[in-house]
Amino acid sequence: MSQTVNDLKAIGQWVCWDDASGRKVPISTRGGTASSTDSKTWGTYVRAVECAEINGFAGVGFVFSEEDEYCGVDIDDCIIDGELTEEAQALVDTLGSYTEISPSGKGVKIFGVCKKQFKGRNENGLEYYTKSRFFTFTQNCINCEDLADLTWWFEEKH
């Protein structure tokens, strides 16, 4: 059965975030800083949206955890003059999973499913994680498809 963004929204792995300091800082829906490894600092999607709106935070984000089968791929600085670079478009097409434009408007985040846990990596603007990381969530999708199984890709990268 296919998984969708609504499956992400149904689990309590959401935080707010703000960038007043110049970097994206996760904020707990209960107040204070959130941790990408401490589930006590996470909340529901609805609560995160409400908290962000009430407090004027920049947005909400999803936390990838060892306890779930979700993963994310982040491609920085891949939108130039409103268009994806050829390399980014090729990866988005290859992965075929839900993809959205990042808050800066200059990058994309790809959300998917991964049946195994891997150590996260950052390779010259291409980041990918299965745990211990949060991704901002804008719903400004450029590929609004279901969450594809990206296990094969993570295996290839590792």
Side-chain angles (χ1 to χ4, degrees), residues 19 21 28 36 41-42 57 62 67 97 101 118 126 136 140 158:
D19 59 358
S21 67
S28 175
S36 62
T41 65
W42 312 337
F57 296 137
F62 181 79
E67 307 303 316
S97 196
I101 298 173
F118 293 95
L126 175 66
T136 59
N140 185 7
H158 284 81

Side-chain angles (χ1 to χ4, degrees), residues 11-25:
I11 59 178
Q13 293 176 209
W14 292 89
V15 296
C16 303
W17 68 272
D18 206 19
D19 59 358
S21 67
R23 55 185 289 268
K24 295 178 188 85
V25 176

Side-chain angles (χ1 to χ4, degrees), residues 76-152:
D76 293 332
D77 300 319
C78 65
I79 298 177
I80 300 170
D81 297 327
E83 299 291 328
L84 281 174
T85 62
E86 286 184 36
E87 297 84 5
Q89 186 65 61
L91 184 55
V92 167
D93 292 344
T94 297
L95 297 181
S97 196
Y98 176 87
T99 304
E100 62 179 41
I101 298 173
S102 64
S104 70
K106 297 177 183 176
V108 297
K109 302 232 189 304
I110 303 168
F111 291 79
V113 173
C114 189
K115 307 283 187 198
K116 298 177 183 176
Q117 294 291 322
F118 293 95
K119 181 176 171 38
R121 294 207 175 150
N122 182 343
E123 300 172 345
N124 301 319
L126 175 66
E127 300 177 57
Y128 42 99
Y129 304 94
T130 60
K131 61 185 175 185
S132 305
R133 194 66 159 198
F134 92 98
F135 271 19
T136 59
F137 185 74
T138 65
Q139 295 191 92
N140 185 7
C141 63
I142 56 174
N143 179 356
C144 303
E145 300 297 320
D146 292 346
L147 303 176
D149 187 341
L150 305 181
T151 306
W152 65 272

Side-chain angles (χ1 to χ4, degrees), residues 15-90:
V15 296
C16 303
W17 68 272
D18 206 19
D19 59 358
S21 67
R23 55 185 289 268
K24 295 178 188 85
V25 176
I27 301 168
S28 175
T29 60
R30 297 171 179 86
T33 304
S35 167
S36 62
T37 58
D38 183 359
S39 62
K40 291 186 281 298
T41 65
W42 312 337
T44 66
Y45 173 76
V46 170
R47 179 67 187 122
V49 169
E50 290 172 350
C51 182
E53 288 174 357
I54 290 168
N55 293 291
F57 296 137
V60 301
F62 181 79
V63 182
F64 300 105
S65 162
E66 289 184 9
E67 307 303 316
D68 68 48
E69 61 180 13
Y70 298 107
C71 62
V73 179
D74 181 6
I75 313 172
D76 293 332
D77 300 319
C78 65
I79 298 177
I80 300 170
D81 297 327
E83 299 291 328
L84 281 174
T85 62
E86 286 184 36
E87 297 84 5
Q89 186 65 61

